[in-house]
Amino acid sequence: SVRKADYLTMRHGFITVHLAPGSKFDFQKYIKRSLEDDFKVVVGISPLLWATVVIFLLINVNGWQALFWASLIPLIIILAVGTKLQAIITQMAIDIQERHAVVQGIPLVQVSDKYFWFSWPPLVLYLIHFTLFQNAFQITYFLWIWYEFGIKSCFHENFTLIIIRVTLGVAVQVLCSYITLPLYALVTQ
């Protein structure tokens, strides 16, 4: 999901700085392990996330279509986070390419939080966490209503909006798992 040129530049910069010439290192396995560590954080549930669920359920008033509008929030967040992560990777790749002299043990790109919103990298992980949780809630809520009351219940008055909401949820889950989480793993390493 990352452009090949950006990935190879980041990989080359990481290996050049951290490893001796000629040593064997599987960068992709390293990034995958980092992604698995971040995923453990992302699947947790905090009281703040449960509070958002309660708020969404309370504003689900007949005629407001609040859950439909709430299903757009994760899409907007994940697109913004993915764009920001791609911009960070591009900026880091440019920083690496601008330096011509490579000295073993000296980082090509200085570790800095300046690339992130408010210079706070955990915000990106929290936004990914929030998005995944809200999508899981949206899909689970749909399935529970379907199981408990049937597909043609009063909860599903506007079936077109329900289909759009579930489709958005699935699309955001795929987008997050295929693009955003790998980008996050690469950026944090």
Side-chain angles (χ1 to χ4, degrees):
S1 62
V2 178
R3 289 186 308 218
K4 188 175 183 177
D6 292 340
Y7 174 80
L8 291 176
T9 303
M10 298 294 286
R11 179 182 175 274
H12 176 68
F14 183 88
I15 291 173
T16 303
V17 169
H18 292 93
L19 302 169
S23 64
K24 292 186 177 185
F25 179 72
D26 190 353
F27 184 71
Q28 189 171 4
K29 185 177 179 182
Y30 176 74
I31 292 296
K32 185 177 179 182
R33 197 169 353 125
S34 170
L35 179 61
E36 289 170 357
D37 291 341
D38 291 334
F39 188 73
K40 291 175 188 173
V41 173
V42 169
V43 296
I45 299 175
S46 69
L48 183 61
L49 293 175
W50 281 115
T52 61
V53 168
V54 170
I55 290 169
F56 287 142
L57 289 175
L58 289 174
I59 63 172
N60 189 20
V61 176
N62 187 23
W64 284 12
Q65 305 299 337
L67 288 177
F68 171 73
W69 296 111
S71 68
L72 293 177
I73 294 170
L75 176 66
I76 293 166
I77 289 173
I78 209 64
L79 289 175
V81 167
T83 303
K84 182 63 175 175
L85 290 173
Q86 185 61 45
I88 291 170
I89 281 195
T90 303
Q91 184 60 46
M92 291 173 81
I94 289 170
D95 289 351
I96 289 171
Q97 286 296 344
E98 287 177 351
R99 295 190 180 215
H100 298 291
V102 174
V103 179
Q104 186 73 23
I106 298 175
L108 293 172
V109 177
Q110 299 298 325
V111 177
S112 174
D113 295 342
K114 71 179 180 177
Y115 298 115
F116 294 92
W117 289 310
F118 309 112
S119 297
W120 192 42
L123 176 64
V124 172
L125 186 59
Y126 177 75
L127 290 173
I128 293 170
H129 187 188
F130 175 77
T131 299
L132 289 173
F133 181 78
Q134 287 304 318
N135 273 332
F137 166 71
Q138 293 282 340
I139 294 168
T140 304
Y141 183 76
F142 165 74
L143 293 174
W144 180 76
I145 294 295
W146 184 4
Y147 172 77
E148 200 64 33
F149 302 107
I151 198 75
K152 296 293 183 183
S153 71
C154 63
F155 289 101
H156 296 154
E157 283 181 24
N158 193 340
F159 197 69
T160 304
L161 287 181
I162 301 298
I163 295 300
I164 292 171
R165 196 175 87 208
V166 171
T167 304
L168 278 175
V170 171
V172 169
Q173 290 292 91
V174 169
L175 183 69
C176 190
S177 63
Y178 180 68
I179 295 174
T180 309
L181 281 174
L183 279 174
Y184 179 78
L186 190 59
V187 166
T188 57
Q189 295 307 313

